[in-house]
């Protein structure tokens, strides 16, 4: 953590006025206009206390369609700007984010319930992807390819694609937008964002930050960055509109099952970032101190509400009785509470339905022979106002019932194993394929885990947990996680269209594959 972050953490008062008052003050400082608030609108609540912060006027279907139209027109102008100039706009967004980091990070905490360092970390991730995209704006390269024809040149060029739709989940209320938008902007696309209906405030604050950057840049076409406020009905408009050639949808696999076929039916490009059921293997040679820390963060961090949260843990029989009792101790001692308070590592669940889902999964686990440690509602002090849960560690006899699916809450299912090949099979025997890890000092096991016959996930780590990715790599997963990739590496290619160009600079017209087609000309 940087010195600046540490200072911000220290400056956070333990008990500020009310959550609502503090959030409203931040919205005002970040320049969110009052017109977006309406007494009869959708309530924006805080999971910390359950209180309503403001009511927000939702986007109507007509307004959503008009916004897509503006974005389409903006794209046609934006695509003509040289990419490094587009990068300058993203650089300014990064600058504005740096200036707003403390406020926006705090708003993430107030609206999504993340502990302070994670709220700030989310904004840092936005800054990081902006930096990445600025560099990328000078590296949108294609290949020159050897051609079989004399006096010819073959190459590929990358062109902007159009309006990029972004649908995002509540648990990364702003970072997911930035992974997509920073790339889309430098690639020459415009962006229409449908944030989670549970986190509209951070979306509005982000939009205000983008507008400040646009003002400084000058000449950003109106409609380059649009936000649609509402629930799934508004998201559906984005999914169904043929003016949106690429859509990145982050959320549950259930959402992906609805969105994916609709995009396929109109041949739009889909970047699906869906649910995970992530596992870790602790092998006999593992550094158990390191594994313990990695498991604790991956399983309990963000109150188990990360797509990459560790949900299944396979521990080798030979180290099970060393590791699991220590893990149970960590679970029973972890500090739960107001995510703004120093030392708290587990904040609230987003809402009642998340808590009920956790209770249901624990009941099912018990019925399947699981022994549950922890779990249940945490109501100490002011926590009674929100839905705080004690993280649960569940010792399971085998991988059955609720272990096979994602429950978006802090439940870690722990299972014994004896055979490496069998545990790899178990590891891959679930629907989702997002993130995975192995704790081992055995080079053969480590390499096998990330090899062709190893983990089938989009992310496979060695000696770190499955959560907490950085932006330099491509992020996403296989199978029911949807197959999409965002952020670093060559993810940018999804936001552009590729043209293969063949140029004949000779005086004859040789055909490929030796085909003859001689006409009298
Ligand atoms: P959710 O599926 O309930 O909602 C996600 C978004 O999709 C929201 O904006 C919602 O309004 C929209 N939506 C839902 N149905 C829609 C439809 N039919 N058409 C258009 N839009 C629709 O998810 P959530 O509860 O906000 O987030 C938690 C889920 O997201 C978990 O499953 C988690 O694993 C997943 N997630 C995945 C990633 C990833 O990168 N793979 C990242 C974060 C979260």
């Amino acid at each position: 953590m940087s010195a600046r972050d540490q200072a911000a953490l220290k400056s956070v008062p333990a008990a500020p006025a009310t959550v609502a008052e503090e959030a409203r003050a931040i919205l005002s400082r970040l320049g969110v206009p009052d017109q977006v608030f309406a007494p009869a609108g959708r309530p924006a609540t805080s999971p910390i206390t359950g209180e309503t912060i403001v009511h927000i006027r939702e986007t109507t279907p007509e307004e959503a369609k008009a916004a897509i139209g503006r974005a389409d027109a903006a794209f046609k102008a934006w695509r003509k700007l040289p990419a490094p100039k587009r990068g300058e706009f993203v650089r300014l967004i990064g600058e504005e984010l740096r200036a707003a980091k403390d406020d926006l990070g705090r708003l993430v905490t107030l609206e999504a319930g993340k502990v302070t360092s994670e709220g700030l970390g989310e904004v840092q991730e936005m800054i990081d992807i902006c930096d990445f995209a600025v560099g990328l704006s000078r590296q949108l390269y294609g290949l020159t390819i050897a051609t079989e024809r004399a006096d010819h040149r073959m190459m590929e060029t990358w062109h902007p694609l159009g309006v990029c739709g972004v649908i995002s989940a509540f648990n990364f209320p702003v970072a997911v937008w930035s992974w997509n938008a920073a790339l889309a902007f430098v690639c020459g696309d415009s962006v229409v964002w449908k944030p989670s209906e549970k986190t509209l405030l951070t979306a509005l604050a982000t939009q205000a930050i983008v507008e400040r950057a646009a003002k400084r840049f000058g000449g950003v076409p109106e409609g380059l960055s649009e936000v649609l406020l509402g629930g799934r009905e508004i998201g559906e408009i984005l999914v169904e509109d043929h003016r949106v050639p690429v859509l990145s949808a982050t959320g549950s696999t259930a959402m992906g099952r609805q969105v994916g076929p609709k995009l396929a039916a109109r041949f739009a490009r889909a970047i699906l970032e869906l649910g995970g059921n992530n596992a870790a293997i602790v092998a006999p040679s593992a550094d158990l101190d390191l594994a313990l820390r990695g498991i604790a963060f991956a399983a309990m961090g963000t109150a188990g509400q990360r797509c990459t949260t560790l949900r299944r843990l396979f521990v080798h029989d030979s180290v099970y009785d060393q590791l699991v009792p220590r893990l149970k101790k960590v679970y029973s001692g972890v500090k739960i509470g107001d995510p703004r308070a120093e030392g708290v590592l587990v904040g609230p669940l987003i809402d009642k339905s998340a808590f009920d889902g956790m209770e249901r999964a624990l009941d099912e686990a018990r019925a399947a022979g699981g022994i549950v440690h922890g779990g249940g509602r945490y109501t100490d002090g002011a926590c009674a106002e929100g839905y705080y849960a004690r993280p649960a560690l569940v010792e399971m006899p085998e991988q059955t019932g609720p272990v096979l699916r994602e429950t978006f809450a802090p439940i870690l299912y722990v299972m014994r194993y004896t055979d490496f090949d069998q545990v790899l099979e178990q590891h891959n025997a679930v629907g989702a394929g997002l993130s995975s890890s192995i704790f081992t000092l055995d080079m053969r096991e480590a390499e096998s885990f990330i090899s062709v016959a190893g983990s089938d996930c989009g992310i496979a780590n060695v000696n770190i947990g499955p959560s907490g990715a950085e932006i330099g790599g491509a992020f996403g997963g296989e199978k029911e996680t949807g197959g999409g990739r965002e952020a670093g590496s060559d993810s940018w290619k999804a936001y552009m269209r590729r043209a293969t160009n063949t140029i004949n600079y000779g005086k004859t017209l040789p055909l490929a594959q030796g085909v003859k087609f001689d006409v009298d000309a």
Side-chain angles (χ1 to χ4, degrees), residues 144-155 501-505 510-512:
T144 302
I145 301 149
T147 150
E148 65 191 57
R149 286 170 280 185
D151 300 335
H152 279 54
R153 183 160 66 86
M154 184 159 62
M155 62 178 190
N501 314 122
T502 308
I503 298 151
N504 177 3
Y505 57 91
L511 300 180

Side-chain angles (χ1 to χ4, degrees), residues 350-413:
I350 191 71
D351 55 20
K352 180 175 186 306
S353 76
F355 179 75
D356 292 346
M358 179 170 177
E359 291 278 274
R360 272 196 307 277
L362 291 179
D363 285 344
E364 279 179 60
R366 281 186 197 99
I371 302 165
V372 177
H373 309 275
R377 195 153 169 202
Y378 179 85
T379 53
D380 283 15
C383 291
E385 307 297 324
Y387 286 90
Y388 292 74
R390 285 193 182 80
L393 186 155
V394 185
E395 291 181 270
M396 289 296 290
E398 55 184 347
Q399 181 164 261
T400 48
V403 188
L404 295 169
R405 61 162 203 267
E406 176 191 58
T407 297
F408 216 54
I411 303 176
L412 178 65
Y413 301 107

Side-chain angles (χ1 to χ4, degrees), residues 32-302:
V32 174
D34 285 345
Q35 297 91 292
V36 298
F37 306 128
R42 182 186 281 272
T45 55
S46 170
I48 299 176
T49 54
E51 71 197 91
T52 297
I53 297 166
V54 282
H55 289 80
I56 294 173
R57 198 179 80 72
E58 290 184 84
T59 308
T60 64
E62 295 68 37
E63 287 170 336
K65 286 176 196 151
I68 295 168
R70 282 196 298 278
D72 190 35
F75 158 69
K76 289 182 175 115
W78 188 245
R79 67 181 172 181
K80 290 195 174 156
L81 221 61
K85 290 222 164 71
R86 302 192 296 248
E88 169 61 10
F89 172 52
V90 174
R91 193 186 69 74
L92 292 173
I93 297 176
E95 265 190 23
E96 291 296 331
L97 283 167
R98 280 180 168 86
K101 181 175 174 182
D102 292 349
D103 271 342
L104 187 58
R106 182 71 161 187
L107 197 59
V108 169
T109 293
L110 299 178
E111 191 179 38
K114 292 191 177 192
V115 298
T116 301
S117 72
E118 289 192 48
L120 289 168
E122 177 146 358
V123 184
Q124 185 57 48
E125 204 167 346
M126 301 172 85
I127 294 166
D128 294 344
I129 193 73
C130 284
D131 287 354
F132 177 91
V134 174
L136 180 68
S137 72
R138 291 183 182 270
Q139 299 177 69
L140 300 171
Y141 52 81
L143 299 173
T144 302
I145 301 149
T147 150
E148 65 191 57
R149 286 170 280 185
D151 300 335
H152 279 54
R153 183 160 66 86
M154 184 159 62
M155 62 178 190
E156 55 185 25
T157 44
W158 290 86
H159 295 299
L161 191 57
V163 178
C164 171
V166 178
I167 291 176
S168 58
F170 79 84
N171 66 320
F172 275 91
V174 283
V176 164
W177 168 83
S178 70
W179 291 356
N180 288 283
L183 297 197
F185 289 145
V186 300
C187 288
D189 299 343
S190 54
V191 175
V192 180
W193 179 21
K194 207 300 283 175
S196 166
E197 54 274 43
K198 296 176 186 175
T199 51
L200 297 179
L201 298 180
T202 40
L204 285 165
T206 301
Q207 179 70 354
I209 287 165
V210 172
E211 278 167 14
R212 262 200 299 288
K215 215 167 173 181
R216 282 175 63 195
F217 183 81
V220 169
E222 193 208 344
L224 186 74
S225 174
E226 293 279 346
V227 181
L228 312 179
L229 305 170
R232 60 182 281 183
E233 327 72 57
I234 290 296
E236 280 165 5
I237 291 173
L238 200 51
V239 172
E240 283 160 16
D241 197 306
H242 69 277
R243 294 169 297 179
V244 181
V246 53
L247 186 125
S248 161
T250 298
S252 57
T253 295
M255 178 275 280
R257 280 193 209 289
Q258 290 162 0
V259 166
K262 286 188 188 168
L263 293 171
R266 65 177 183 87
F267 300 103
R269 209 175 279 177
I271 304 171
L272 296 179
E273 300 282 348
L274 311 175
N277 188 2
N278 318 295
I281 296 171
V282 181
S285 65
D287 174 337
L288 293 184
D289 292 338
L290 187 143
L292 193 70
R293 284 199 303 278
I295 293 163
F297 168 63
M300 294 191 286
T302 329

